């Protein structure tokens, strides 16, 4: 039962504590965790604790990623859990077919319960980021991302989506989803904002209980695996959506009252529904990392809110706690973390915890408490008696993946999430005429699905990876042809037969954390080309509907001005037909379905929300809305606002306040390249322009002999520590006419260097090479303070061009770490 927070006046000492990241649990609402303790489970847990060795107990506290663990490891170290990250998959293939996932689940399970070494054999639990459907699996139903669900304002449908997601997860043998995300994003420059339902805490809170109930069943549910359920995880505790300037994994300097009333509010309904796990945020509050904040994790979440499940950290987030590294962080356990998500560092974390436990520097009581909480959730799940995954209900029923009844629910969610911002009488589109579908996003299921789709960033896949799915184009085509009309897909808007109307699909391309943060609420310039298409079609007298695919509200005044109608599709997922359900009318000229979506957050007037709201939270037209006269909106030049902290060299120039240098590694010669052509190294090097993407968009370096170094130097040291924790790479796009004798790629900081050998074969086209940032770190670079984040050293005669240097995940060729 919820209790009101104490309405006390904050005293100076309390204010000081808050400013130091220390919460006062007494001012937070109190709840009662409704999951009853089962006598048989409690007896089993007591017996296990008495029988377990210290090694087995520590193993339960550690979760490894599929990329970096084997079934034999699970048996040897008695690991309590594994997960599959966005770029992992069975057999090293994140695009493995569904049967491979089930086979891997069996293999890992059987290793965990193997007692041939005399151990107790506790089954592991497998977690996955099924954040908009079972989105790692080819053929699964993909629902709109959470921001779209927030637009639809339908709690009952949320529960259905949770239930379908649970069923499809069970088909491939997993038991735990890291969902729902209950972030309340306040700054949509944050790259994970689309994972939040809304900027409004009341709307988010209204959805959370329904999603948890759909995934887990009612809070009194026991033996979940005997039914169509999995365990859920609300994330990320706390204020991941409230960081200053929307910086991912950043710091939140808000008051404790705002921390409680905005970002803490969704956790009440989650606890009331008996959510089994809570994932702690990477972010910090007043400089103190959440993963090490005992006042919040233990004081607020566990004690005050009475959360009775177990607490898991995020991907190597323990390494960001003060005084910690990825390999060692007892502080996290003492703060209240029960399970370390240590994907590629699980072994040193295990060994460090074990050594400290044996030395008595970590209290055995805290270890036993954490193990007990984990075992209780496993007991509630029914894991001890469920047998191997392939023997459980729903396992191997691959026809449930993307089943027609599941896709029908997703399609309903799509049409209910559409938000109409402008309509000058051209919608709905009559199905009997000729429709032109233009724009670069119309026939791209990966793009309409966004990040966390098959791959971590949602990149590197195409329509062939989505069997049974429907692109926006296909949905429109089917609807128009069903009414006796015709449709043509022409991305650039060209046509031979004049259309009666056009739909231009544009917007964001897929991204997830790290890659998604923006400096301004604007599309990258290369994504605004469809604006010209809209204008050109309008100039020819063709009615145009602008349809935006996006994970967040963005400045789009040019499209709003130019188009006759403007609708926001968000990131609809696999069922693009839901858009046609609303945009295309029936044969009598009436709407088949009306617009029902309302904005889940304010829509900006400019590229910064602080400069004004164009459409407020809750805005959304429908077909009964009265006609509104259109007053032209101011249009800005956003080219200069498109700066991205991860783009270091492009269009022939380094990032702002950076320098492109050519140096002699042995002679100390150094030349800053500002214009071309130029010479360096006493005439040994000639630098010229080469075309890449745009005219003269690359720089060509022709080295006659000897050692040379091409590098980017910055005025302020770059900290890429958080990117190094993930699968982010240093990406170098290069074309090679003459291969050097040898080459090395690396980065330099104050007193540190990290390099790897770089094979530069002759190639007639530009190739995007990638080296994992963690390789640079492991080879000695101080990734917290890089002064030369990119260095390419060559020896001997060579001739190559650089087209781009940036951070990302979409390498065409990944370089080995040597």
């Amino acid at each position: 039962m919820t209790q009101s927070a104490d309405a006390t006046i904050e005293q100076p000492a309390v204010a000081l504590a808050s400013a130091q990241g220390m919460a006062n649990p007494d001012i937070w609402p109190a709840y009662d965790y409704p999951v009853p303790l089962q006598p048989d489970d409690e007896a089993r847990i007591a017996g296990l604790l008495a029988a377990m060795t210290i090694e087995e107990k520590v193993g339960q506290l550690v979760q490894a990623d599929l990329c970096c663990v084997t079934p034999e490891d699970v048996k040897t170290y008695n690991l309590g859990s594994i997960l599959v990250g966005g770029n992992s998959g069975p057999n090293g293939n994140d695009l493995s077919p569904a049967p491979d996932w089930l086979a891997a689940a069996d293999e890992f399970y059987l290793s965990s319960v193997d007692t041939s070494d005399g151990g107790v054999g506790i089954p592991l639990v497998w977690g996955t980021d099924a954040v908009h459907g079972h989105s790692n699996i080819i053929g699964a139903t993909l629902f709109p991302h959470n921001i779209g669900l927030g637009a639809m304002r339908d709690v009952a449908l949320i529960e259905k989506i949770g239930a379908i997601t649970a069923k499809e997860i069970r088909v491939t043998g997993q038991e735990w989803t890291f969902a729902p995300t209950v972030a309340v994003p306040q700054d949509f420059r944050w790259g994970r904002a689309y994972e939040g339902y809304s900027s409004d805490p009341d709307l988010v809170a209204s959805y959370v209980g329904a999603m948890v109930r759909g995934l887990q069943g009612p809070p009194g549910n026991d033996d979940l695996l005997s039914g169509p359920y999995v365990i859920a995880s609300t994330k990320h505790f706390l204020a991941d959506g409230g960081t200053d300037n929307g910086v991912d994994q950043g710091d939140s300097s808000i008051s404790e009252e705002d921390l409680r009333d905005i970002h803490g509010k969704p956790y009440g309904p989650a606890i009331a529904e008996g959510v089994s796990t809570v994932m702690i945020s990477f972010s910090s509050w007043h400089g103190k990392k959440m993963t090490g904040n005992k006042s919040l994790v233990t004081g607020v979440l566990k004690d005050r809110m009475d959360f009775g499940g177990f607490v898991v950290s995020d991907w190597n987030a323990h390494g960001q706690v003060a005084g910690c590294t990825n390999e060692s962080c007892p502080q996290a356990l003492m703060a209240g973390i029960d399970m370390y998500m240590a994907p590629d560092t699980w072994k040193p974390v295990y060994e460090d915890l074990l050594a400290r436990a044996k030395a008595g520097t970590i209290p055995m009581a805290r270890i036993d408490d954490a193990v007990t909480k984990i075992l209780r959730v496993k007991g509630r799940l029914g894991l001890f008696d469920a047998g191997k995954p392939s023997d459980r209900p729903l396992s191997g029923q691959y026809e449930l993946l993307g089943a027609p009844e599941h896709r029908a629910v997703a399609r309903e969610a799509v049409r209910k999430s559409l938000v109409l911002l402008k309509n000058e009488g051209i919608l709905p589109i009559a199905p009997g005429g000729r429709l032109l579908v233009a724009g670069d996003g119309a026939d791209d299921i990966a793009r309409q699905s966004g990040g966390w789709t098959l791959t971590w960033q949602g990149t590197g896949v195409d329509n062939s990876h989505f069997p049974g799915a429907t692109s926006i184009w296909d949905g429109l085509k089917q609807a128009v042809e069903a009414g006796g009309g015709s449709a043509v897909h022409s991305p650039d808007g060209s046509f031979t037969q004049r259309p009666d109307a056009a739909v231009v699909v544009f917007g964001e391309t897929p991204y997830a954390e790290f890659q998604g943060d923006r400096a301004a609420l604007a599309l990258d310039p290369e994504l605004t080309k469809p604006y010209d298409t809209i204008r050109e079609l309008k100039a020819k007298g063709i009615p145009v509907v602008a349809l935006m695919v996006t994970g967040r509200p963005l400045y789009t005044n040019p499209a709003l001005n130019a188009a006759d109608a403007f609708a926001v599709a968000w990131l609809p997922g696999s069922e693009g037909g839901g858009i046609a359900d609303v945009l295309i009318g029936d044969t009598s000229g009436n709407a088949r379905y009306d617009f029902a979506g309302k904005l889940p957050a304010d829509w900006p007037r400019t590229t910064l929300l602080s400069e004004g709201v164009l459409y407020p939270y809750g805005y959304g037209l429908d077909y009964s809305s009265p006609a509104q006269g259109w007053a032209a909106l101011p249009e800005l030049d956003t080219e200069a606002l498109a700066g991205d902290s991860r783009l270091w060299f492009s269009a022939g120039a380094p990032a702002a306040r950076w320098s492109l240098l050519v140096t002699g590694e042995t002679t100390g010669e150094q030349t800053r390249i500002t214009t071309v052509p130029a010479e360096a190294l006493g005439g040994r090097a000639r630098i010229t322009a080469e075309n890449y993407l745009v005219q003269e968009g690359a720089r060509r370096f022709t080295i006659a002999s000897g050692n040379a170094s091409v590098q980017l130097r910055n005025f302020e040291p770059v900290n890429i520590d958080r990117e190094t924790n993930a699968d982010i790479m240093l990406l170098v796009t290069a074309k090679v006419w003459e291969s050097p004798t040898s080459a090395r790629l690396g980065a330099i900081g104050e007193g540190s260097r990290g390099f790897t050998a770089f094979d530069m074969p002759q190639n007639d086209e530009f190739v995007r090479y990638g080296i994992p940032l963690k390789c640079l770190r492991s080879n000695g670079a101080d990734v917290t303070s890089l002064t030369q984040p990119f260095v390419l050293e060559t020896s001997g005669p060579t001739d190559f061009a650089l087209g781009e240097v940036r951070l990302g995940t979409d390498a065409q060729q990944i370089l080995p770490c040597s």
Side-chain angles (χ1 to χ4, degrees):
M1 179 179 292
T2 306
Q3 300 175 2
S4 299
D6 300 336
T8 57
I9 298 175
E10 189 173 48
Q11 300 301 314
V14 176
L16 178 61
S18 294
Q20 296 173 341
M22 298 293 292
N24 175 16
D26 291 342
I27 72 168
W28 290 70
Y31 305 100
D32 294 323
Y33 191 61
V35 179
L37 298 181
Q38 302 294 334
D40 55 341
D41 284 343
E42 292 302 295
R44 189 200 304 260
I45 291 168
L48 287 171
L49 281 175
M52 291 170 75
T53 63
I54 192 170
E55 288 83 1
E56 289 174 304
K57 290 179 179 180
V58 169
Q60 287 299 300
L61 311 184
V62 179
Q63 182 184 57
D65 184 70
L66 200 60
C67 71
C68 310
V69 69
T70 66
E72 186 60 30
D73 290 331
V74 168
K75 174 185 174 183
T76 301
Y77 293 92
N78 306 287
L79 298 181
S81 178
I82 61 169
L83 80 149
V84 55
N87 281 342
S88 299
N91 309 312
N93 178 15
D94 56 350
L95 299 177
S96 284
D100 288 4
W101 290 75
L102 183 56
D106 272 358
E107 193 174 3
F108 278 99
Y109 169 85
L110 292 172
S111 292
S112 70
V113 298
D114 188 330
T115 58
S116 60
D117 59 358
V120 295
I122 295 173
L124 61 73
V125 59
W126 183 334
T128 183
D129 280 293
V131 294
H132 64 132
H134 195 15
S135 50
N136 278 307
I137 305 299
I138 290 175
T141 308
L142 299 176
F143 296 94
H145 268 294
N146 282 358
I147 192 169
L149 300 183
M152 76 179 186
R153 308 293 209 276
D154 191 328
V155 173
L157 196 55
I158 289 290
E159 185 170 347
K160 290 181 182 178
I161 290 170
I164 289 169
T165 301
K167 287 180 181 178
E168 296 201 12
I169 292 171
R170 291 289 303 278
V171 169
T172 58
Q174 288 69 54
E175 308 99 351
W176 179 13
T177 175
F178 302 135
T181 302
V182 300
V184 189
Q186 300 299 289
D187 191 326
F188 281 80
R189 290 176 293 180
W190 182 41
R192 302 190 73 167
Y194 66 80
E195 296 185 53
Y197 295 115
S198 172
S199 61
D200 181 72
D202 291 324
L203 176 56
V204 177
S206 73
Y207 273 16
V208 173
M211 181 59 78
V212 171
R213 192 164 54 250
L215 292 166
Q216 296 189 164
N221 222 10
D222 191 41
D223 192 14
L224 274 62
L225 292 179
S226 65
Y229 304 114
V230 296
I231 56 173
S233 182
T234 43
K235 64 181 187 182
H236 305 86
F237 189 90
L238 194 59
D240 51 341
T243 59
D244 300 342
N245 301 314
V247 174
D248 190 46
Q249 302 184 17
D251 185 54
S252 177
S253 58
I254 60 177
S255 70
E256 186 169 0
E257 288 76 13
D258 283 346
L259 186 70
R260 175 194 67 196
D261 298 339
I262 298 173
H263 304 284
K265 191 162 192 172
Y267 287 87
I271 290 169
E273 288 296 334
V275 68
S276 293
T277 70
V278 170
M279 186 183 295
I280 306 302
S281 178
F282 275 110
S283 60
S284 57
W285 179 52
H286 288 286
K288 190 173 183 66
K289 284 291 181 179
M290 294 289 176
T291 307
N293 195 323
K294 186 174 182 178
S295 69
L296 284 167
V297 178
T298 297
V300 171
L301 179 62
K302 289 186 170 183
D303 295 342
R304 183 70 173 177
M305 290 185 169
D306 195 37
F307 172 60
F310 72 80
V311 170
V312 63
S313 61
D314 207 339
W315 184 284
N316 277 336
H318 58 273
Q320 298 185 13
V321 174
C324 292
T325 66
N326 284 2
E327 292 74 27
S328 172
C329 190
Q331 294 94 320
L333 182 68
M334 298 311 298
I337 298 296
D338 300 310
M339 181 179 286
Y340 288 75
M341 186 185 290
D344 53 354
T345 59
W346 63 266
K347 190 176 293 184
V349 166
Y350 169 91
E351 292 170 343
D352 180 74
L353 290 173
L354 181 60
R356 294 176 187 275
K358 287 183 174 179
T361 56
I362 296 178
M364 188 54 64
R366 172 76 268 261
I367 293 175
D368 284 348
D369 174 59
V371 173
T372 297
K373 293 180 183 298
I374 293 167
L375 296 185
R376 278 183 180 146
V377 170
K378 289 185 175 183
R380 181 188 181 196
L381 187 56
L383 202 56
F384 292 106
D385 303 308
K388 69 180 187 291
S390 61
D391 290 340
R392 301 170 190 166
L394 304 182
S395 289
Q397 295 184 27
Y398 302 116
E399 68 277 7
L400 291 177
L401 296 173
E405 61 271 24
H406 296 178
R407 294 189 183 277
V409 172
R411 185 166 180 159
E412 179 184 357
V414 171
R415 60 177 175 257
K416 287 184 174 180
S417 68
L418 282 173
V419 177
L420 182 62
L421 298 182
K422 178 184 180 182
N423 183 20
E424 296 194 322
I426 72 163
L427 286 174
I429 297 170
R434 287 193 294 270
L435 178 68
L436 173 68
V437 180
D440 53 16
D443 193 25
D444 191 335
I445 300 170
R447 186 165 176 180
Q448 71 191 44
S449 299
W452 300 106
T453 303
L454 299 185
T455 67
W456 174 36
Q457 298 285 326
T459 56
V461 291
D462 57 37
N463 286 3
S464 68
H465 296 102
F466 298 93
T470 303
S471 72
I472 294 171
W473 150 246
D474 281 332
L476 292 169
K477 179 176 183 289
Q478 292 165 15
V480 169
E481 290 180 348
S486 62
V488 173
H489 178 223
S490 173
D492 65 359
S494 60
F495 57 85
T496 53
Q497 279 191 300
R498 181 182 178 84
D500 297 308
V503 175
V504 179
V505 185
F506 72 100
E508 294 191 297
T509 52
Y511 57 84
E513 57 190 322
F514 299 108
Q515 294 298 96
D517 283 8
R518 304 301 299 148
L521 293 174
L523 289 170
D524 290 336
E526 65 268 22
L527 298 178
T528 63
K529 292 177 182 177
Y531 293 175
D532 293 332
T533 303
I534 296 172
R535 296 186 187 104
E536 290 165 3
L537 291 168
K538 280 292 295 175
K540 296 172 182 176
I542 298 167
V544 179
V545 178
L547 182 70
M548 187 176 188
V549 174
T550 181
R552 52 190 151 198
L554 294 172
Y555 164 81
T556 49
N557 290 9
L560 280 160
N561 281 334
D564 298 287
F566 187 109
V568 186
W570 310 108
L571 299 171
S574 61
E575 305 313 303
I579 292 166
D581 289 343
V582 181
L583 294 189
I584 308 300
D586 62 23
T587 53
S588 62
N590 297 315
R592 294 185 295 161
Y593 292 93
D594 203 348
F595 281 91
K598 304 296 180 184
L599 285 179
D602 292 338
W603 195 274
R605 179 175 293 276
T606 72
T607 60
L608 293 173
L609 195 55
S610 60
E611 295 179 348
V613 174
L614 181 60
Y615 298 111
Y617 165 87
Y619 183 87
L621 304 174
D622 59 30
Y623 285 134
S624 66
S625 299
Q628 298 175 331
W630 184 257
L633 300 169
E635 297 187 17
L636 307 174
D637 180 2
T638 60
E639 287 275 348
L641 299 174
D644 185 342
S645 63
R646 296 161 189 80
L647 183 61
W648 296 348
F649 178 83
S650 68
R657 295 181 56 79
W658 288 42
S659 297
L660 175 65
L661 304 174
V662 177
T663 67
E665 285 300 294
T666 57
T667 62
E669 300 167 84
Q670 177 176 295
T671 302
R672 182 183 178 202
I673 307 302
T674 55
T675 60
V676 290
E679 288 190 350
L681 307 182
R684 287 192 297 117
R686 179 169 173 79
I687 300 90
T688 55
E690 188 74 19
N691 293 338
Y692 174 68
L693 297 182
V694 297
Q695 187 173 358
E696 299 191 353
R699 291 295 175 261
R700 183 171 180 173
F701 303 86
T702 305
I703 315 296
S705 62
N707 297 324
S709 173
V710 175
Q711 57 187 249
L712 293 171
R713 181 171 293 173
N714 51 306
F715 288 86
E716 297 178 359
V718 170
N719 182 348
I720 56 170
D721 184 49
R722 67 190 182 99
E723 286 89 344
T724 309
N725 270 344
D727 293 328
I728 301 293
M729 290 181 277
L730 174 62
L731 300 175
V732 181
T733 303
K735 180 178 180 179
V736 180
W737 287 269
E738 182 178 358
S739 299
T741 305
S742 65
R744 296 199 308 161
L745 181 63
I748 299 175
E750 290 293 339
S752 71
R753 300 166 65 89
F755 281 85
T756 190
F758 179 35
D759 186 19
M760 292 181 66
Q762 182 176 332
N763 200 310
D764 292 334
E765 59 186 17
F766 280 93
V767 176
R768 188 166 54 255
Y769 298 96
I771 176 174
L773 296 180
K774 61 183 65 176
C775 173
L776 298 179
R777 181 185 63 191
S778 65
N779 285 351
D782 178 3
V783 293
T784 67
S785 185
L786 295 177
T787 55
Q788 292 143 279
F790 163 79
V791 180
L792 176 56
E793 295 180 352
T794 60
S795 176
T798 185
D799 188 1
F800 66 92
L802 285 180
E804 189 177 67
V805 179
R806 61 180 171 89
L807 300 184
T809 60
D810 53 335
Q812 293 171 308
Q813 181 178 331
I814 299 176
L815 304 177
C817 185
S818 59

